[in-house]
Amino acid sequence: MSDHGLIIGLESRLLNAWPSFDYQIYDGWILRLANGYSKRANSATPFRSGVNLDDELIDYMIARFVEANVRPTFRLNGIEAPDADERLKLRGFKQVETTHVLTAPITSADCERDPEVALDPQPSKRWVREAAHSYGGDKSDDAKLLQIVSRIRQKTAFATLSLDDKPVAWGLGVVERGYIGLYDIVVSPDLRGIGLGRRVVSSLIAWGCEQGAHTSYLQVREENEVARSLYGALGFGTAYRYTHRVMPGRSSV
């Protein structure tokens, strides 16, 4: 059985570390909107154990998504009522992007930074532009990414690893109440698979250690077996999983 207290604690940190532009609360569900940039910032998520989801509430939240021109998406983290997923399935919502939330304890051996990884407390336009470009696809919009990371109110570190003075890997660390969240870990497409991402992750964890963090966490899609294997080698294990139910028939967000 999942530890709902742990899930809610991590979910609140996830929400603060990756802020949306608009928040609405409906009977234990938080609906977030950020002009369509990333599903986690544009979805409805349960924030109370056993919270119900009836057809009237589904319809109401669908209308809010449509008004914002965002594809209706429910992000289910396992604390919702048992019938919520089936209700959405019967309404035609498709399940996509099952994601693992991984955690790892931070030990004294994790507290040494890589001197070649630069850490800045605020996002620069260059960091945002280059990280978004390396992501590509629907996450290549640097203007929306800048809007999101500029809204973070927790302590942050924006990491850049350069080779021969050329930035090649990026990452974001956000510290809150003993945890460091790792976000936007991305490596230049032509340099993946040679350990650069691991160096960024390790440096951000070391920074988190300096800030008093005892645990690190991150999110990785279930289908990304390479990344899950890498993080497993770094001591990460699955705390819980979440999945998305998205309404078909609208353009993908």
PDB file of all heavy atoms in Angstrom, residues 7 38 45 50 62 95 141 157 161 176-177 230 247:
ATOM      1  N   ILE A   7       3.595  10.597  -0.354  1.00  0.00           N
ATOM      2  CA  ILE A   7       3.193  11.064  -1.682  1.00  0.00           C
ATOM      3  C   ILE A   7       2.768  12.531  -1.628  1.00  0.00           C
ATOM      4  O   ILE A   7       3.219  13.353  -2.440  1.00  0.00           O
ATOM      5  CB  ILE A   7       2.053  10.193  -2.254  1.00  0.00           C
ATOM      6  CG1 ILE A   7       2.574   8.777  -2.518  1.00  0.00           C
ATOM      7  CG2 ILE A   7       1.494  10.807  -3.532  1.00  0.00           C
ATOM      8  CD1 ILE A   7       1.494   7.803  -2.944  1.00  0.00           C
ATOM      9  N   SER A  38       4.426  21.425 -20.534  1.00  0.00           N
ATOM     10  CA  SER A  38       4.603  20.229 -19.704  1.00  0.00           C
ATOM     11  C   SER A  38       3.288  19.802 -19.058  1.00  0.00           C
ATOM     12  O   SER A  38       2.506  20.635 -18.594  1.00  0.00           O
ATOM     13  CB  SER A  38       5.690  20.408 -18.639  1.00  0.00           C
ATOM     14  OG  SER A  38       5.228  21.098 -17.508  1.00  0.00           O
ATOM     15  N   THR A  45      -4.560  17.304 -10.331  1.00  0.00           N
ATOM     16  CA  THR A  45      -3.901  16.304  -9.491  1.00  0.00           C
ATOM     17  C   THR A  45      -4.615  16.208  -8.150  1.00  0.00           C
ATOM     18  O   THR A  45      -4.946  17.231  -7.551  1.00  0.00           O
ATOM     19  CB  THR A  45      -2.427  16.701  -9.264  1.00  0.00           C
ATOM     20  OG1 THR A  45      -1.755  16.764 -10.521  1.00  0.00           O
ATOM     21  CG2 THR A  45      -1.717  15.702  -8.366  1.00  0.00           C
ATOM     22  N   GLY A  50      -7.999   9.557  -0.864  1.00  0.00           N
ATOM     23  CA  GLY A  50      -9.335   9.058  -1.137  1.00  0.00           C
ATOM     24  C   GLY A  50     -10.264  10.053  -1.802  1.00  0.00           C
ATOM     25  O   GLY A  50     -11.484   9.840  -1.838  1.00  0.00           O
ATOM     26  N   ILE A  62     -12.964  19.958 -17.091  1.00  0.00           N
ATOM     27  CA  ILE A  62     -12.767  19.949 -18.544  1.00  0.00           C
ATOM     28  C   ILE A  62     -13.044  21.337 -19.112  1.00  0.00           C
ATOM     29  O   ILE A  62     -12.287  21.848 -19.954  1.00  0.00           O
ATOM     30  CB  ILE A  62     -13.683  18.902 -19.214  1.00  0.00           C
ATOM     31  CG1 ILE A  62     -13.162  17.496 -18.958  1.00  0.00           C
ATOM     32  CG2 ILE A  62     -13.764  19.150 -20.726  1.00  0.00           C
ATOM     33  CD1 ILE A  62     -14.091  16.405 -19.466  1.00  0.00           C
ATOM     34  N   GLN A  95      -4.670   6.674 -21.226  1.00  0.00           N
ATOM     35  CA  GLN A  95      -3.559   6.661 -20.278  1.00  0.00           C
ATOM     36  C   GLN A  95      -2.248   6.841 -21.022  1.00  0.00           C
ATOM     37  O   GLN A  95      -1.961   6.127 -21.978  1.00  0.00           O
ATOM     38  CB  GLN A  95      -3.533   5.342 -19.506  1.00  0.00           C
ATOM     39  CG  GLN A  95      -2.410   5.260 -18.489  1.00  0.00           C
ATOM     40  CD  GLN A  95      -2.486   4.014 -17.641  1.00  0.00           C
ATOM     41  OE1 GLN A  95      -3.429   3.824 -16.884  1.00  0.00           O
ATOM     42  NE2 GLN A  95      -1.491   3.140 -17.779  1.00  0.00           N
ATOM     43  N   ASP A 141      10.202  25.556 -26.146  1.00  0.00           N
ATOM     44  CA  ASP A 141       9.752  26.942 -26.011  1.00  0.00           C
ATOM     45  C   ASP A 141      10.453  27.591 -24.824  1.00  0.00           C
ATOM     46  O   ASP A 141      10.033  27.444 -23.674  1.00  0.00           O
ATOM     47  CB  ASP A 141       8.230  26.976 -25.828  1.00  0.00           C
ATOM     48  CG  ASP A 141       7.653  28.378 -25.930  1.00  0.00           C
ATOM     49  OD1 ASP A 141       8.347  29.340 -25.549  1.00  0.00           O
ATOM     50  OD2 ASP A 141       6.505  28.516 -26.390  1.00  0.00           O
ATOM     51  N   ALA A 157      19.380  26.064  -7.790  1.00  0.00           N
ATOM     52  CA  ALA A 157      20.698  26.051  -8.418  1.00  0.00           C
ATOM     53  C   ALA A 157      20.509  25.632  -9.871  1.00  0.00           C
ATOM     54  O   ALA A 157      19.942  24.566 -10.148  1.00  0.00           O
ATOM     55  CB  ALA A 157      21.643  25.092  -7.708  1.00  0.00           C
ATOM     56  N   LEU A 161      27.260  22.360 -17.308  1.00  0.00           N
ATOM     57  CA  LEU A 161      28.541  21.689 -17.488  1.00  0.00           C
ATOM     58  C   LEU A 161      29.057  22.038 -18.878  1.00  0.00           C
ATOM     59  O   LEU A 161      28.348  21.856 -19.870  1.00  0.00           O
ATOM     60  CB  LEU A 161      28.387  20.177 -17.348  1.00  0.00           C
ATOM     61  CG  LEU A 161      29.617  19.326 -17.707  1.00  0.00           C
ATOM     62  CD1 LEU A 161      30.801  19.675 -16.821  1.00  0.00           C
ATOM     63  CD2 LEU A 161      29.275  17.836 -17.596  1.00  0.00           C
ATOM     64  N   GLU A 176      13.792  22.206  -0.740  1.00  0.00           N
ATOM     65  CA  GLU A 176      12.674  22.579   0.140  1.00  0.00           C
ATOM     66  C   GLU A 176      12.530  21.547   1.252  1.00  0.00           C
ATOM     67  O   GLU A 176      12.388  20.350   0.986  1.00  0.00           O
ATOM     68  CB  GLU A 176      11.352  22.677  -0.629  1.00  0.00           C
ATOM     69  CG  GLU A 176      10.196  23.090   0.284  1.00  0.00           C
ATOM     70  CD  GLU A 176       8.830  23.024  -0.384  1.00  0.00           C
ATOM     71  OE1 GLU A 176       8.764  22.914  -1.621  1.00  0.00           O
ATOM     72  OE2 GLU A 176       7.818  23.068   0.350  1.00  0.00           O
ATOM     73  N   ARG A 177      12.612  22.006   2.475  1.00  0.00           N
ATOM     74  CA  ARG A 177      12.325  21.186   3.665  1.00  0.00           C
ATOM     75  C   ARG A 177      13.012  19.819   3.634  1.00  0.00           C
ATOM     76  O   ARG A 177      12.384  18.783   3.793  1.00  0.00           O
ATOM     77  CB  ARG A 177      10.814  21.018   3.823  1.00  0.00           C
ATOM     78  CG  ARG A 177      10.077  22.311   4.164  1.00  0.00           C
ATOM     79  CD  ARG A 177       8.582  22.109   4.200  1.00  0.00           C
ATOM     80  NE  ARG A 177       8.046  21.837   2.874  1.00  0.00           N
ATOM     81  CZ  ARG A 177       6.993  21.055   2.638  1.00  0.00           C
ATOM     82  NH1 ARG A 177       6.372  20.452   3.638  1.00  0.00           N
ATOM     83  NH2 ARG A 177       6.551  20.880   1.402  1.00  0.00           N
ATOM     84  N   LEU A 230      20.341   4.325 -14.918  1.00  0.00           N
ATOM     85  CA  LEU A 230      21.342   5.266 -14.430  1.00  0.00           C
ATOM     86  C   LEU A 230      21.025   5.700 -13.012  1.00  0.00           C
ATOM     87  O   LEU A 230      21.889   5.665 -12.121  1.00  0.00           O
ATOM     88  CB  LEU A 230      21.394   6.491 -15.347  1.00  0.00           C
ATOM     89  CG  LEU A 230      22.117   7.732 -14.780  1.00  0.00           C
ATOM     90  CD1 LEU A 230      23.594   7.434 -14.568  1.00  0.00           C
ATOM     91  CD2 LEU A 230      21.927   8.929 -15.698  1.00  0.00           C
ATOM     92  N   MET A 247      -7.676  13.631 -22.443  1.00  0.00           N
ATOM     93  CA  MET A 247      -8.853  13.578 -23.298  1.00  0.00           C
ATOM     94  C   MET A 247      -8.415  13.532 -24.762  1.00  0.00           C
ATOM     95  O   MET A 247      -7.621  14.369 -25.190  1.00  0.00           O
ATOM     96  CB  MET A 247      -9.751  14.799 -23.062  1.00  0.00           C
ATOM     97  CG  MET A 247     -10.946  14.883 -24.015  1.00  0.00           C
ATOM     98  SD  MET A 247     -12.020  16.304 -23.682  1.00  0.00           S
ATOM     99  CE  MET A 247     -13.001  15.620 -22.348  1.00  0.00           C
TER     100      MET A 247
END
